[in-house]
Amino acid sequence: MSIAEAGEFGLIGRIVSRLGSGSATLLGPGDDAAVVRAADGRVVASTDVLVEGRHFRRDWCGPEDIGHRAAAANLADIAAMGATPTALLVALCVPTGLDVTWAEGLADGLSAEAGLVGATVVGGDTSASPTLTIAVTALGDLGGVAPVRRDGARPGDVVALCGRIGYAAAGLTVLSRGFRTPKLLVDAYRRPDVRYPAGPEAARLGATSMIDVSDGLLQDLGHIAEASVVGIDVRRDSFEPPAQMLDAAKALGVDPYVWLLAGGDDHPLAATFPPGVTLPEHWRVIGSVLDGAGVTVDRKPWTGGTGWDHFR
Amino acid sequence: MSIAEAGEFGLIGRIVSRLGSGSATLLGPGDDAAVVRAADGRVVASTDVLVEGRHFRRDWCGPEDIGHRAAAANLADIAAMGATPTALLVALCVPTGLDVTWAEGLADGLSAEAGLVGATVVGGDTSASPTLTIAVTALGDLGGVAPVRRDGARPGDVVALCGRIGYAAAGLTVLSRGFRTPKLLVDAYRRPDVRYPAGPEAARLGATSMIDVSDGLLQDLGHIAEASVVGIDVRRDSFEPPAQMLDAAKALGVDPYVWLLAGGDDHPLAATFPPGVTLPEHWRVIGSVLDGAGVTVDRKPWTGGTGWDHFR
């Protein structure tokens, strides 16, 4: 059945029936607005939009995958403030000829990814559109801690990373060259594996700044460097790319460090910590904060490309 | 300068520079997420999306108008819960050839409408897209009161309306027939005049249910009737359409009650109150809640059309 046949309320009904309920949800979908617990007295909020052909392709990802990706991009932003996500709101614009099962799959993916952190989809809106577009807003709770911003890094701090990096970018290259394997990389592009609890953990460990790496490590560290008025140096030897990535890079004639340093979509968290901090193993130290400006790799400028501009 | 020439960060910088700051904003645009005060311990949240060609036309409305409309649609949803809006987040998808001044005008309109209630744009996202799309999320504060839902209307309650109705629908008909006057109606379509403080006021007055009338009065009262498991009867003689609306209706050969009862986009608040309530003058009693189901007009079914389905 197409979405045109299901109608607006038919579509909404089908989506809502697939959403779970969360402990922070005081009033879920079905009214003018949702009501979400904000016990902290503050709410963290972020919006990210995915546009077909620019952020995803339906022949590369199923609807559940795209739901996971759309949710992850937003939930990671909440985690990067040191907060725990509580709720998602979704604006879904769809061509009317699309099958309703696609929208149901998307709802399943959004709901499942949110469920990883106990959050739920509490509301949203739908419209017909020639361009399939998914705008997600995530809300989160700071649990009494100060938000970890981008502007607190200080010379001498260590730079650490939590979560996979380069995998999704490698998967995207693989898919764009017409391949479907290695599965590790393609799956990483389809469904990010984000360490959400590492956000609040970093806040507790005294992180001086933090960011969700969504557009490429060097570009996103550049935002921290600019906001904090510092320089950041990243060490190439701090990365241990998996064999599948090195093999794929060789086969495709790509420098794997372009994936690692400039690739997006994995959503690891990058944070700076005071010198001498003891970090859990899943936070890997990858560099240091310096006096100066900009981001270097082994103290040299990087010339291999830097992330995405969504209008180029 | 086109948006492609300005680039993603150029565009964001231009937009952010035009946004004010509000008392509820603890951390505004520029980080992974915003932080907004939620003193009540709960946050009200709603998302509405506007798609070019379906919800607006650039030849009928300037960018400031569209900003006002996009903000109003969301702010009215917050008011309809009995809450006061605190913040907006905006996902803006734009064709790259669009001039940046258009996006700046949109930001001005969004910001100005939010400013009417002391709210501000605290964050968002931008992307290129072939289809101009504006998804807005509004947040709000209940200030200690219970949210006014759709499911609390009881037989014997009075139905009351606060704000203009039929004006925007009449303006839309006028524009779609190629006219630019009467100014009263065209301007009403371009910029809704929403009585936001009437939402929290209704909650204090004991409203048993409330809704933002966005898709047509009868359709939206139908949502209250369905959720509350009651019938609602609306009295035709309770409306006093202005002379310009009656004149336009006559000139265009339209029944003005189609605009009044089935037209959208004005965003008045409709609420039910216990019998015997004393309402301020700006709340006009338009009908009553009955045992039964569905919405009638002078106790008869309405056959003149009912609101919008965004997929038809």
Side-chain angles (χ1 to χ4, degrees), chain B residues 119-261:
Chain B
T120 45
V121 179
V122 297
D125 191 19
T126 59
S127 175
S129 170
T131 307
L132 181 51
T133 304
I134 307 154
V136 179
T137 298
L139 305 181
D141 191 275
L142 282 162
V145 305
V148 183
R149 300 164 51 152
R150 297 178 177 181
D151 60 1
R154 292 165 304 202
D157 284 354
V158 299
V159 179
L161 190 70
C162 181
R164 298 192 301 203
I165 187 129
Y167 286 54
L172 176 58
T173 304
V174 165
L175 286 166
S176 66
R177 301 280 182 95
F179 299 102
R180 290 289 183 274
T181 58
K183 194 168 181 304
L184 175 73
L185 305 179
V186 170
D187 284 356
Y189 173 73
R190 289 183 173 143
R191 298 203 185 181
D193 178 19
V194 185
R195 309 294 174 87
Y196 303 111
E201 177 186 59
R204 288 192 302 272
L205 290 165
T208 52
S209 72
M210 185 153 49
I211 192 165
D212 156 37
V213 179
S214 55
D215 290 340
L217 180 63
L218 299 184
Q219 176 166 322
D220 286 323
L221 288 179
H223 295 316
I224 286 184
E226 190 181 353
S228 299
V229 196
V230 295
I232 288 178
D233 185 62
V234 172
R235 290 200 322 272
R236 275 174 78 103
D237 67 5
S238 61
F239 298 95
E240 290 176 13
Q244 292 98 320
M245 191 187 291
L246 296 175
D247 293 347
K250 200 168 175 184
L252 298 170
V254 173
D255 176 0
Y257 282 88
V258 174
W259 292 334
L260 293 164
L261 298 176

Side-chain angles (χ1 to χ4, degrees), chain A:
Chain A
M1 186 192 293
S2 75
I3 282 173
E5 288 162 342
E8 182 174 10
F9 295 112
L11 173 64
I12 292 172
R14 281 160 179 267
I15 291 174
V16 168
S17 72
R18 305 180 87 86
L19 307 174
S21 71
S23 60
T25 309
L26 299 172
L27 180 63
D31 217 299
D32 289 80
V35 184
V36 178
R37 204 182 297 279
D40 175 83
R42 299 167 294 176
V43 61
V44 180
S46 180
T47 293
D48 251 47
V49 62
L50 272 62
V51 177
E52 181 171 20
R54 190 157 280 269
H55 301 93
F56 65 90
R57 280 175 53 160
R58 269 185 282 159
D59 55 338
W60 287 352
C61 292
E64 291 86 354
D65 296 329
I66 294 166
H68 277 276
R69 290 185 65 210
N74 284 276
L75 298 169
D77 279 329
I78 300 299
M81 301 303 290
T84 301
T86 53
L88 298 182
L89 296 102
V90 182
L92 174 61
C93 305
V94 283
T96 51
L98 196 69
D99 201 273
V100 286
T101 56
W102 195 93
E104 290 175 338
L106 180 80
D108 287 345
L110 286 162
S111 192
E113 188 71 22
L116 295 176
V117 285
T120 44
V121 179
V122 297
D125 191 19
T126 59
S127 176
S129 171
T131 308
L132 181 51
T133 304
I134 307 155
V136 179
T137 298
L139 306 180
D141 192 275
L142 283 161
V145 306
V148 183
R149 301 164 50 152
R150 296 178 177 181
D151 60 2
R154 292 165 304 204
D157 285 353
V158 298
V159 179
L161 189 70
C162 181
R164 299 193 299 204
I165 188 131
Y167 286 52
L172 175 60
T173 304
V174 165
L175 286 166
S176 67
R177 302 280 182 95
F179 298 102
R180 291 288 182 274
T181 57
K183 195 169 182 301
L184 175 75
L185 305 179
V186 170
D187 285 354
Y189 173 72
R190 289 185 173 143
R191 299 203 183 183
D193 177 19
V194 185
R195 309 293 173 90
Y196 302 110
E201 176 188 62
R204 289 192 302 272
L205 290 167
T208 53
S209 72
M210 184 153 50
I211 194 166
D212 157 38
V213 179
S214 55
D215 291 340
L217 180 64
L218 297 184
Q219 176 166 320
D220 287 321
L221 288 177
H223 296 314
I224 287 184
E226 189 180 354
S228 300
V229 196
V230 295
I232 289 178
D233 185 62
V234 172
R235 290 199 323 270
R236 276 175 78 103
D237 67 6
S238 61
F239 298 94
E240 290 176 14
Q244 291 98 319
M245 190 187 294
L246 296 175
D247 292 347
K250 200 167 178 185
L252 299 169
V254 173
D255 176 1
Y257 281 89
V258 174
W259 292 334
L260 292 164
L261 298 176
D265 289 324
D266 282 307
H267 300 289
L269 299 176
T272 56
F273 294 92
V277 67
T278 303
L279 293 174
E281 200 175 299
H282 50 266
W283 281 97
R284 170 191 301 268
V285 174
I286 59 164
S288 51
V289 180
L290 312 169
D291 282 313
V295 181
T296 51
V297 180
D298 293 338
R299 303 287 179 122
K300 292 186 213 88
W302 169 252
T303 55
T306 54
W308 311 97
D309 182 323
H310 292 117
F311 294 102
R312 294 276 150 77

